[in-house]
Each structure stands twice: as structure tokens, then as C-alpha cells.
Amino acid sequence: MSSFNKGLNAGLKTTWTLSKVIFPITLIVTILQFTPVLTWVINFVEPLMGLLGLSGEAAIPLVLGNALNLYAGIAGILSLELTVKEVFILAVMLSFSHNLFIETGVALRVGVKLWVILAVRFGLAIISALIIRFVWQGGGEIAKYGFFSEQTHNPSGWGEIVLLGFEKASLGILQLAIIVIPLMIIVQYLRDLKYLEKMSNALAPFTKVIGVQPNTSMTLVAGLVIGLAYGAGIMIQAVEEDGVSKKDATLAFIFLVACHAVVEDTLIFVPLGIPILPLLIIRVVTAFVLTIIVAHLWKRADLKAHKGVTQL
């Protein structure tokens, strides 16, 4: 089977798998907007969301994204009427903190401590939201989602409400399929042509910049290209076979928490109608700065501990 056919099949399977999450969530959230349930949840969390520059209903995609994945979070956003600034804040927060159960499980399997991953992910999400809230003064207009954005009238009756939910859910899946299927084809070509391995070799010299050993490069490549969840098998195998230390594994995961699946996790935000280049820049810069700082502090702590032992 050719690389194209493999990638196409993988893309269709991925789209089908994601649709089973996106469709019901979008449908349910859309319907809940017209019931007292959603209003109660919004009122309960609105004070906390207000601190982050978000409306109360923005808690819905945050919960969905962290409990499930980015696609579920995006499905929640597509169901709501938010400003461009709110959508951008949510996108940045979710890019740092999402799919907690699976991706945290990967981190634990590699040997990274639970509190480190949770502190970094939630810390980056909250700090980034606060910075964007106070620094960016624009984005007050209502966001127009995706390639098929259009005005809809207020539904009257449960029939029109359910129909609106089906419409939003279907469009959400279609827009994501337009991105996911070509992406999976490209990833398949990268695998078959051994470009992932070549990227690993090319990345090795840059590992010194973030304070880890060259044998961590395959772990970084897998996370950067495929992501923490999709690249879990490659990452775990690389750590076990390449003899990556717990320190390097922790630093690599800190880097990847801020910046993983750089192509996919950036492009899937295109349907939300937000500027994705600033989103990518924020993730990359944050990953380098945070990892370099942690590596420096870790090195200083090791030196102090070594001096203490020597003096004894």
C-alpha cells in the first residue's frame, strides 16, 4: 500500500474516531445553551473565568479540552458565541493544558513526576491567559468560526434547536476533516521516508540549548511532530532504548508540554478564525524559555548538593 493510501486511511480513521467525540459534544452543548443547566454552570464558575478575561460559559470548552482532548475543547468553542480575544485565550490555554488523563499517563510511564506535569500545564495555561487579558486590548468583536461561518437566527422550539445542534456538529467535523486528513497523509510520508529519524539526528545539537543530552532527540521529535498522545509509543521506546535519564526525560516533557504536535495542534485552531502564527510563536518561545530556566535551576541545585557532599 502506498504512503498516500496509508495516510488517507489513517486520516479517515482518525476523522471517524474524532467525530464520535466532536459530534455528540457539539450537539449536547448546543442544546444545553437553551436550557437552565448551562446557565447554572456558567453562573457558578463565572467569577473564576472573569479573572482570566473570559465569560462564564468559556468554562465548558476548558473542561472538555482538559478532560478529553483539543478536539472536544474546540467542539465546545464552536457551540458558543465568544469574542476573538476569548477564543484566542482559550486556544492558548488549551494548547498548554489538554487531554490530561492520557498525556499525563504518558509522562508517568516515562518517569516524570505527576506534580511537575500538572503544575507546568495548569501554570502555563493560567499565566498565559492573564498576560493576554491585560496586554492585548483588541479582539472585542464576535468570533466568526471557520470556513462556513454565517449568521443564524434564534431557534424557536426544540425541533429547530436540535436541528441547529446537528448543523454545528456536522460543520465542525467537516472543517476538522479538511485539516486532519491531509495532515495524516503528510505524517505517513514522513514516516515512510525516514524523515522522522533524520529530524531526530538534525535536532541532536539543539538539545544542548535546553540542557538535555543528545539521546533525548528522538523523544523530542516524536512529541514535536506527532504529539504526546499519538507519539506515546515512540517516546516510551526512545526513553527505554536510548538510556534517557529521568532528569532529561523531565526536561524534555516540560518542553513538550508547552510545545508538542506543533503542526496539528496549531492548524486545528484554524476553523476558530484566530491568528495561529502568534499562537505558534507563544508555544515555541515559552517551551524554550521555561525549559532553559528549569534546566539552569536544576543544574545549580545539583552543584550545591555536590558541594555539600564534598564538604562532608
Side-chain angles (χ1 to χ4, degrees):
M1 186 181 293
S2 67
S3 297
F4 179 85
N5 289 333
K6 288 181 182 177
L8 178 60
N9 288 335
L12 291 173
K13 289 180 181 178
T14 302
T15 301
W16 171 244
T17 300
L18 297 175
S19 68
K20 289 186 288 186
V21 175
I22 292 174
F23 193 93
I25 288 176
T26 304
L27 177 61
I28 292 170
V29 172
T30 300
I31 294 175
L32 285 178
Q33 289 181 87
F34 303 95
T35 69
V37 176
L38 198 58
T39 303
W40 181 84
V41 174
I42 291 171
N43 291 336
F44 181 77
V45 300
E46 193 165 13
L48 176 60
M49 293 295 99
L51 294 175
L52 302 176
L54 299 169
S55 57
E57 61 185 359
I60 297 168
L62 281 179
V63 172
L64 293 174
N66 280 282
L68 298 172
N69 50 45
L70 275 178
Y71 298 96
I74 291 174
I77 294 174
L78 290 172
S79 306
L80 304 173
E81 186 177 89
L82 303 168
T83 66
V84 172
K85 184 174 182 178
E86 285 181 300
V87 174
F88 188 71
I89 289 175
L90 286 171
V92 174
M93 291 185 72
L94 287 172
S95 69
F96 288 136
S97 177
H98 60 265
N99 203 6
L100 286 177
F101 295 108
I102 294 177
E103 295 184 352
T104 300
V106 174
L108 293 173
R109 176 72 182 275
V110 175
V112 184
K113 293 183 179 179
L114 176 63
W115 71 268
V116 173
I117 297 300
L118 295 181
V120 171
R121 303 199 78 170
F122 286 127
L124 288 177
I126 294 172
I127 292 171
S128 63
L130 292 173
I131 291 175
I132 296 170
R133 177 197 175 187
F134 291 110
V135 172
W136 187 22
Q137 300 304 317
E141 66 276 15
I142 297 298
K144 295 181 179 180
Y145 301 129
F147 317 112
F148 309 99
S149 178
E150 57 183 50
Q151 296 294 326
T152 57
H153 66 282
N154 291 325
S156 57
W158 282 107
E160 290 192 8
I161 291 174
V162 173
L163 183 62
L164 177 62
F166 272 94
E167 179 184 342
K168 286 190 174 184
S170 300
L171 289 179
I173 292 172
L174 178 59
Q175 293 176 69
L176 288 170
I178 291 173
I179 295 170
V180 169
I181 293 175
L183 177 63
M184 296 302 290
I185 293 174
I186 293 172
V187 169
Q188 188 62 51
Y189 273 105
L190 289 174
R191 288 174 176 168
D192 292 347
L193 296 174
K194 307 297 182 181
Y195 278 115
L196 287 180
E197 185 176 342
K198 293 178 181 178
M199 291 174 65
S200 174
N201 295 332
L203 190 64
F206 295 96
T207 56
K208 295 181 180 180
V209 177
I210 60 174
V212 298
Q213 298 299 315
N215 61 353
T216 316
S217 59
M218 181 55 79
T219 301
L220 289 171
V221 168
L224 283 170
V225 177
I226 307 176
L228 293 179
Y230 293 151
I234 297 176
M235 296 170 69
I236 292 171
Q237 183 180 20
V239 168
E240 292 176 348
E241 295 183 0
D242 297 341
V244 177
S245 67
K246 286 189 176 181
K247 175 183 176 181
D248 287 345
T250 300
L251 290 174
F253 261 79
I254 289 175
F255 183 91
L256 292 173
V257 159
C259 186
H260 61 266
V262 288
V263 178
E264 179 185 1
D265 284 4
T266 302
L267 289 180
I268 61 174
F269 286 108
V270 170
L272 300 182
I274 60 172
I276 60 172
L277 182 58
L279 175 63
L280 177 60
I281 293 173
I282 289 172
R283 295 183 72 194
V284 174
V285 171
T286 300
F288 272 101
V289 172
L290 179 63
T291 310
I292 290 171
I293 291 174
V294 173
H296 177 70
L297 295 175
W298 200 325
K299 185 177 180 179
R300 288 185 59 183
D302 286 345
L303 289 175
K304 286 184 178 179
H306 179 72
K307 287 181 180 179
V309 173
T310 303
Q311 290 175 355
L312 292 175

